[in-house]
Amino acid sequence: NAGVTQTPKFQVLKTGQSMTLQCAQDMNHEYMSWYRQDPGMGLRLIHYSVGAGITDQGEVPNGYNVSRSTTEDFPLRLLSAAPSQTSVYFCASSPWPLGETQYFGPGTRLLVL
Amino acid sequence: AQTVTQSQPEMSVQEAETVTLSCTYDTSENNYYLFWYKQPPSRQMILVIRQEAYKQQNATENRFSVNFQKAAKSFSLKISDSQLGDTAMYFCAFLTDSWGKLQFGAGTQVVVTP
């Protein structure tokens, strides 16, 4: 059981470039989410999904797209990277949204120049 | 909107001593869940403890325990017999609605010294 995996671990982008952060879980969890972590601000929710084909926006969705075609995968797409998107990104999953523990991936550190 | 406040940016404690981290939250909901997550230098987010608001009994996990005061909207974490491996950032988090949206505090850096 690998849990929640994220790739890449670290990425450098130039302003305007696009990329996809990958997230996968092998626990058959319905709920998956993306957070970003910035210094002094804790983690903030970007997008979430309650099942395949269902996604919704979180607190800071601008500049990011998601889709959920399978239960296992939940990629996060940056359409046109900006320096303000420099952050650490975490993917998380849980078996059911309310009250269940969310399990986090190891994170992806993104630097946008 | 729900908010979570951790008022202590950093705390230092000696090995074997006890440290208490504070967390307050604001909500009008009656049914919700509270969590403490630990983030060591490896950056991995690790669940420390979980509390269900409808349970009056305070949750405990080995050396970690909480003091949950629902009326005061307070959820403090006590680390007993601190160990060097407890050095980490600790986040308080709040979960209220059915969509699983965790609301995090800004975190408290705990440094355990020999």
Side-chain angles (χ1 to χ4, degrees):
Chain A
N1 221 352
V4 180
T5 58
Q6 291 183 237
T7 56
K9 290 183 179 178
F10 177 64
Q11 182 73 44
V12 179
L13 287 180
K14 294 181 180 178
T15 297
Q17 288 184 316
S18 63
M19 80 160 295
T20 299
L21 279 61
Q22 301 291 344
C23 174
Q25 52 90 10
D26 61 358
M27 299 174 282
N28 202 33
H29 287 172
E30 290 296 322
Y31 182 87
M32 296 185 74
S33 56
W34 277 101
Y35 294 86
R36 60 177 288 172
Q37 182 179 20
D38 301 299
M41 300 187 73
L43 279 72
R44 293 180 293 167
L45 183 66
I46 304 171
H47 285 285
Y48 65 96
S49 169
V50 298
I54 306 170
T55 64
D56 205 348
Q57 297 180 350
E59 183 184 354
V60 287
N62 292 340
Y64 308 95
N65 271 1
V66 293
S67 60
R68 184 100 178 267
S69 55
T70 67
T71 299
E72 295 78 19
D73 301 298
F74 190 45
L76 178 72
R77 283 183 287 276
L78 281 70
L79 306 174
S80 177
S84 61
Q85 294 178 304
T86 292
S87 189
V88 180
Y89 292 85
F90 287 95
C91 179
S93 75
S94 72
W96 189 256
L98 182 61
E100 289 296 331
T101 298
Q102 294 195 20
Y103 297 89
F104 285 81
T108 293
R109 183 168 163 243
L110 179 67
L111 176 62
V112 183
L113 301 175
Chain B
Q2 279 76 245
T3 59
V4 180
T5 303
Q6 294 181 248
S7 59
Q8 305 148 314
E10 183 167 339
M11 299 193 73
S12 183
V13 60
Q14 288 192 317
E15 264 186 305
E17 297 296 310
T18 295
V19 64
T20 299
L21 313 182
S22 67
C23 173
T24 58
Y25 56 94
D26 184 26
T27 184
S28 58
E29 300 288 336
N30 192 49
N31 187 30
Y32 51 88
Y33 299 80
L34 294 159
F35 303 84
W36 279 99
Y37 278 90
K38 168 185 177 181
Q39 186 179 43
S42 67
R43 212 168 55 204
Q44 180 70 48
M45 294 290 287
I46 302 165
L47 179 70
V48 175
I49 204 161
R50 172 178 176 267
Q51 175 79 43
E52 297 162 356
Y54 63 87
K55 289 187 176 179
Q56 292 186 339
Q57 187 174 4
N58 289 325
T60 63
E61 285 290 340
N62 300 316
R63 299 180 294 107
F64 298 87
S65 61
V66 297
N67 183 7
F68 174 48
Q69 301 289 330
K70 190 172 183 180
K73 297 179 183 176
S74 171
F75 184 59
S76 61
L77 175 70
K78 185 171 77 173
I79 307 174
S80 304
D81 186 26
S82 296
Q83 302 175 359
L84 294 177
D86 295 333
T87 292
M89 182 73 84
Y90 288 80
F91 292 98
C92 179
F94 173 88
L95 176 67
T96 179
D97 60 31
S98 60
W99 302 113
K101 291 182 280 187
L102 272 175
Q103 185 77 30
F104 283 87
T108 297
Q109 177 67 49
V110 172
V111 178
V112 181
T113 58

